[in-house]
Amino acid sequence: MSDHRIRQHPILPIPERAPIEFYWQGRKLDAFEGETIAAALFANGEHIFGHHHKDGSPLGIFCANGQCSQCMVLADGVPVKGCMELVRNGQRIEPADGLPELPQVNQPVSFKPILERKVKVLIIGGGPAGLSAAIELGQRGVEVLLVDDKHHLGGKLVLQTHRFFGSTKAVYAGTRGIDIATRLENDLRKHPSVEVWLNSTVLAVFSDKKVGILKDGHEYSVIEPDVLLVASGAREKFLAFKGNTLPGVFGAGAFQTLVNRDLVRPAEKLFIVGGGNVGLIAGYHALQAGIQVVGLVEALPECGGYKVHKDKLARMGVPIYTSHTILSANGEGKVESVTIAQVDADFKPVAGTEKSFECDSVLIAVGLDPVNEFYLKARQYGLNCYVGGDAEEIAEASAAIFSGKIRGMEIARALGVETAEIPVEWYWTSEILKSKPGDTFSEELPEIEEGVVPVIHCTQEIPCDPCTGLCSHGLIYIDTKDIRHVPTFLGNSYCCEVCEKCVAGCPGLAITLVNYRENPDLPVVSIPYEFTRQTIQAEDQVIVLDTEGKDLGRVEVLSVHAVNKDDKTLVVQVNAPKEIAQKIAGIKVQDEDVTHPLDHYIAHIEDDTIVCRCEHVTAGEIRSLIRAGYRDMNEIKTVSRAGMGACGGKTCVSLILRLFREEGITREEITEYSKRPVFIEVPLGILAGANGQENNTND
C-alpha cells in the first residue's frame, strides 16, 4: 500500500479494510473496499484527475462533495465524479481529458416505470439537522423518508474529530463530532417509520409539488411529500486568485474528507486561507494527521473563528497572518508555493509586503453559503416546507443539531401530533447556540500560587459549558442562563483532586492544571495533548508556549497519560518554574523551519485569475464584457460560458458580482443568472427510466 495513507492517528481508529486493486491509466494500483475513486487516487499519490478541454490545464479535486466536476474521471468508460463513486475491484479508470467520447450504445434501450411515491415527510440531508429532525418525527411514529447523497449518514459530523462546543444538556457538547454522528444514526435506526436513502441526490423541486431524486446513483424517482424539510447544509465559497485551479488548491471540506473520513494524506506542506472556525479546525486536523501547516492568512484584522481554535494553532507553531490575503498559488502543473501580502483598510494588497512560502497545497476556507435552492423553489411552488441547519443559517454544528430538533417538532405539530409541544426555552437555546463570538478579554492569571489551580485560557464569550460539569467539586462556573459567559475558577485550590478531567475534557483544550503541592518553586503543569503518544515521552525536553504562541522555554516531561482508557485526549505533565507555570497553554509540535518564507516572492497577474472553475473563464474576460455594457449575467454566460459548467453557477456567481461591484455597477443594474432547474448533472436516460429497475408505484 502507498505511503500517502494515514497509518496512525491520535483520535481516529484505523479500521481493517479488504484490499482491492484497480487500474489508473493502465497501471495497477492498490485501494480498499468502500473508499471513493478520489481517495484511492490520492492514496497512490495521484492528484491530477484530468485536463480541461479549453486550455489543457490540469484538474484536481476541489469540493469532494459532488457539487463540482473537478474530479471527473472515466470509470470503465463512463464519466463519474471521483469523490462520489466507490472504487471497484478490477475497475479501469482513465482521466477525463478534454471532451472525451462517450461509449457507443449497441443494444436497444429498454424503459421501465419511474418510481413514484407519496410520503408524509421528506427530509433532504442526513447531517446534524436532518438526523435530529428525523429522530423527533420517528419518536412520534411519523412516516419519514430521509435522503442523503453520501454513503454514510452524519454530514460534516463524520469529519470532525474535535470535541463539540455548545450546551452539554442540549447538544452533546464535549463529545467529538464523529461520535455524535454515530449516536444520532443509532437513535434514528430505532424508529421503523423512518426510511433512509443513501447515495441518493435530490435533483429538483417541481411546480407540481413533487421532488425528483436520483436514487442510489442510477434510478430516477419522483416523491410527493406532504411536508418537505430542507436540511442540505452549506457549500464552500470560492476565491479568485492567480493559480486557484491548480491541483493542490482545494476547499476545507475536501481536505477534511480525505484526511478524517478516508484516512488519506493529501498534502505534506499546507497553507490555509481563511481564519474562521472551518480554516482553524482544518489546520489542527492537518497537524494531527502529520501534515505541516506553513501558515494561515485572514483578511480581517482578527480571525473570525473561536479564539480557542486560533490559540491551538498558534501555540503549536503555526504563524497566523491577519490583515493579509493570498495573491497567488504558484507552480507548474501543481501547487509549489503561495504568495501573500498585507492588505490595507480597503482590503487592497499593500505593495512591498509580498511574501512567498513553499507548500504543496492551499486550503480555501473563506466562508460558506447555504444550500437552500430546494427550499426557495418549494416556497415558490407553494409546497409545505421547512428549512433547518446551515441551509437556514450558517452556524456551528451544535446549532444545526438543535435547529433540527425544533424543525422536527414543528413539523410534527403541524401534522397534528398531540405530543409535539415545543418548550419555549428551546428557541432561546437555539439563538444562543447560533450566536457569533462575543467580547474577548485580556487573560488574567490566577493570583493563587498554592494547592492546585486550574488555569482557564478561554477568554472569549462563546456558547460552551462542558467544563462546568467536569469538576466534581464545582470549581469552574458559567452562568447557566447564558452559557456564552467566560468560565470562572471559584478559587478553592485545596479541593482539587488532580483528576485532570477539566484538562482533558475542555473542547478548546484551554485549561491547564498547576500543582504547587510538592514543590511550589517547580510546580507540575498538566497540559492537554491530542497527538499520538509516540511523539512525546517521559524525560523528553519540550518547548512550551503561552496562549498566543510565545515561546516560554524548554521543560522536562514527567509523564504522558490518558485520564481514562477510552479518552483520546492525552495529558502531558511537565515540571516548570513557577514564573512561567501558569502561562503555559500548550506544547510546540511544529518546527519553525517549515514556516519561513522564501527569499523572494512570486508575482501574480490579477486579470488572469479564473472566476469560473468549470469553464476556465478569467476575470479579464468578464471585466471586458462588463466594460462593453453587459449587465445581464445570462448574456455573459452565453458569450463567455461563465456559469454554464457542471456546478450550475454555484461557485462563480459571487465572484462575478464582485467584479461588477469593482467596476462601479450597482446590484440594481444587474440581472442575475436564471436558476438552473436540475441541481447536478444526470444522464437523460436515467430521467427517462432507461435500463432502470422494475419499480412499484405507491399511491
Side-chain angles (χ1 to χ4, degrees), residues 2-163:
S2 167
D3 290 334
H4 297 279
R5 294 191 181 277
I6 296 171
R7 304 295 183 184
Q8 282 187 322
H9 196 280
I11 307 299
L12 296 167
I14 309 299
E16 289 289 334
R17 294 177 288 177
I20 59 174
E21 296 175 338
F22 71 103
Y23 295 87
W24 170 246
Q25 296 182 282
R27 291 187 296 118
K28 185 187 293 185
L29 300 177
D30 297 318
F32 284 122
E33 280 188 358
E35 71 181 356
T36 64
I37 291 173
L41 288 173
F42 265 94
N44 285 278
E46 298 289 342
H47 293 199
I48 297 175
F49 287 42
H51 295 81
H52 199 274
H53 63 87
K54 180 178 179 180
D55 54 17
S57 59
L59 298 174
I61 201 168
F62 179 71
C63 76
N65 201 32
Q67 296 194 33
C68 73
S69 289
Q70 304 300 296
C71 63
M72 186 75 76
V73 294
L74 297 178
D76 292 334
V78 178
V80 297
K81 294 182 179 182
C83 71
M84 302 295 286
E85 189 82 6
L86 297 183
V87 67
R88 299 193 306 275
N89 192 40
Q91 194 170 40
R92 295 188 174 272
I93 302 170
E94 300 289 335
D97 284 339
L99 295 172
E101 293 186 10
L102 299 182
Q104 295 292 322
V105 177
N106 299 318
Q107 298 296 324
V109 176
S110 61
F111 294 91
K112 297 190 177 176
I114 292 171
L115 171 67
E116 292 196 42
R117 274 183 57 184
K118 289 185 177 182
V119 299
K120 188 63 71 175
V121 179
L122 172 63
I123 298 178
I124 304 175
L131 285 173
S132 298
I135 290 168
E136 295 296 332
L137 291 162
Q139 287 174 346
R140 291 159 179 82
V142 177
E143 180 200 17
V144 175
L145 174 60
L146 185 148
V147 177
D148 192 87
D149 62 355
K150 302 298 187 298
H151 301 91
H152 303 282
L153 290 173
K156 292 298 189 288
L157 289 174
V158 301
L159 312 180
Q160 308 304 327
T161 61
H162 60 284
R163 298 180 190 273

Side-chain angles (χ1 to χ4, degrees), residues 290-309:
I291 297 168
Q292 298 171 325
V293 181
V294 178
L296 179 149
V297 290
E298 167 56 52
L300 294 171
E302 185 51 76
C303 289
Y306 290 173
K307 188 175 184 296
V308 288
H309 286 317

Side-chain angles (χ1 to χ4, degrees), residues 430-442:
S430 179
E431 290 305 309
I432 288 177
L433 294 174
K434 288 190 292 187
S435 60
K436 306 300 181 185
D439 292 337
T440 300
F441 306 95
S442 299

Side-chain angles (χ1 to χ4, degrees), residues 589-609:
V589 299
Q590 180 170 268
D591 192 87
E592 287 182 4
D593 291 345
V594 176
T595 64
H596 288 167
L598 300 172
D599 57 7
H600 64 285
Y601 83 89
I602 300 166
H604 69 291
I605 306 169
E606 184 176 350
D607 271 0
D608 201 24
T609 296

